Amino acid sequence: GWNYGRRVMPQHNAAFAVMAASALPHAPFSIGLHALIGVSERTRDAMRTLDVFFILTCGVPRGLALAWFVFTSRAVFWSYAAVVGVDWGWSVASTCGRRRIKDIPKAQLARDVTGIVLCYLAPLACSAAQEAWHLGYPGVEGAVLAAILALLYVAAWFYSRHLPERWSPGAYDLIGNSHQIMHALVVLEYSLEWTFLLYKAAQTS
C-alpha cells in the first residue's frame, strides 16, 4: 500500500465506532414506520419525517469515518467536514423542512438523498483515484467503489419506480416490495463501506 498517513490503533477504532453508530439512530424510526400499523396518521407523519431526517444525518458520520483514512491533512479533513455539513443542511431543508414527507414523490426523495450519498462517498472516490494513479489501473478500492455505486443505483431504481408492487398491487405488501429490496441492497452497500475501512486500516496500521 501507499503512505496515506499513519495513525495509532485507538484512532482507527474511533473511525470504526463512528461508522457503526451512524446507522443506529435511523433504525427505530424506519422499523417503527413500517411495523406500527395501528398508529395515528399524525404519528406516522412524524416518524416519516424522522426516518428521512436520520437517513440524511447518518451520511455525515459515515462520510467522516471514510474520510479519516483518506484525508490525512487536518485542513483537508475539516474542509471536507464543512462541505458535508452544508450538504446535509441543504438536504434536510429540501426534504424535512418544506412539506410533509409523504407528499414528496419517491423519485424526488431519491434524488434529494443522492446529494448526501455522493458527498459521503467522495473520500472513497478520491482514494480509489489515487490508488488507480499509482497502479496504472483500477485497484481494489476502484472495484469497491464501482460495486457501491451499482448497488445504490439499483436500490434507488427499485424504490423510485415502486417495483415490483406496481406490477401486481397487493401481492408484495408483506414481502418483496420495493422498500424492502432497497434496504437489502443498502445493507450490502454498507458492508462494502466496511470493507473499504478494513482495507485502509490494514494499509495505515
Side-chain angles (χ1 to χ4, degrees):
W2 295 274
N3 182 18
Y4 292 92
R6 300 183 64 82
R7 293 188 173 92
V8 298
M9 282 308 298
Q11 292 171 303
H12 290 349
N13 290 338
F16 284 100
V18 167
M19 175 64 85
S22 67
L24 297 179
H26 161 238
F29 302 103
S30 182
I31 295 170
L33 175 62
H34 300 285
L36 303 178
I37 299 175
V39 298
S40 67
E41 189 60 27
R42 182 177 179 181
T43 300
R44 287 183 63 80
D45 280 347
M47 295 185 78
R48 282 191 189 97
T49 301
L50 289 169
D51 180 31
V52 172
F53 174 81
F54 281 111
I55 287 173
L56 297 171
T57 301
C58 76
V60 176
R62 286 167 80 171
L64 296 179
L66 293 169
W68 181 255
F69 295 101
V70 180
F71 302 139
T72 55
S73 162
R74 285 190 177 184
V76 175
F77 179 86
W78 289 113
S79 296
Y80 166 76
V83 171
V84 172
V86 170
D87 186 61
W88 172 84
W90 176 86
S91 298
V92 170
S94 66
T95 53
C96 306
R98 288 188 179 179
R99 49 182 169 159
R100 297 169 76 185
I101 295 296
K102 74 171 188 176
D103 296 330
I104 301 177
K106 279 190 172 183
Q108 180 184 337
L109 194 57
R111 288 193 297 270
D112 289 338
V113 172
T114 297
I116 197 71
V117 169
L118 293 177
C119 206
Y120 80 68
L121 288 180
L124 204 163
C126 290
S127 187
Q130 185 178 14
E131 183 187 52
W133 176 264
H134 282 282
L135 289 175
Y137 56 86
V140 173
E141 296 174 25
V144 170
L145 177 62
I148 284 176
L149 292 174
L151 286 169
L152 289 175
Y153 177 82
V154 175
W157 188 86
F158 275 100
Y159 176 79
S160 63
R161 286 165 175 75
H162 301 266
L163 295 175
E165 63 268 20
R166 193 175 72 184
W167 294 332
S168 184
Y172 301 97
D173 286 352
L174 295 179
I175 299 176
N177 56 68
S178 60
H179 197 95
Q180 293 170 339
I181 292 172
M182 179 269 292
H183 272 292
L185 292 172
V186 168
V187 167
L188 290 175
E189 180 272 335
Y190 188 57
S191 70
L192 289 176
E193 291 178 24
W194 276 96
T195 300
F196 173 79
L197 282 186
L198 291 167
Y199 182 73
K200 297 303 290 184
Q203 286 185 330
T204 58
S205 296

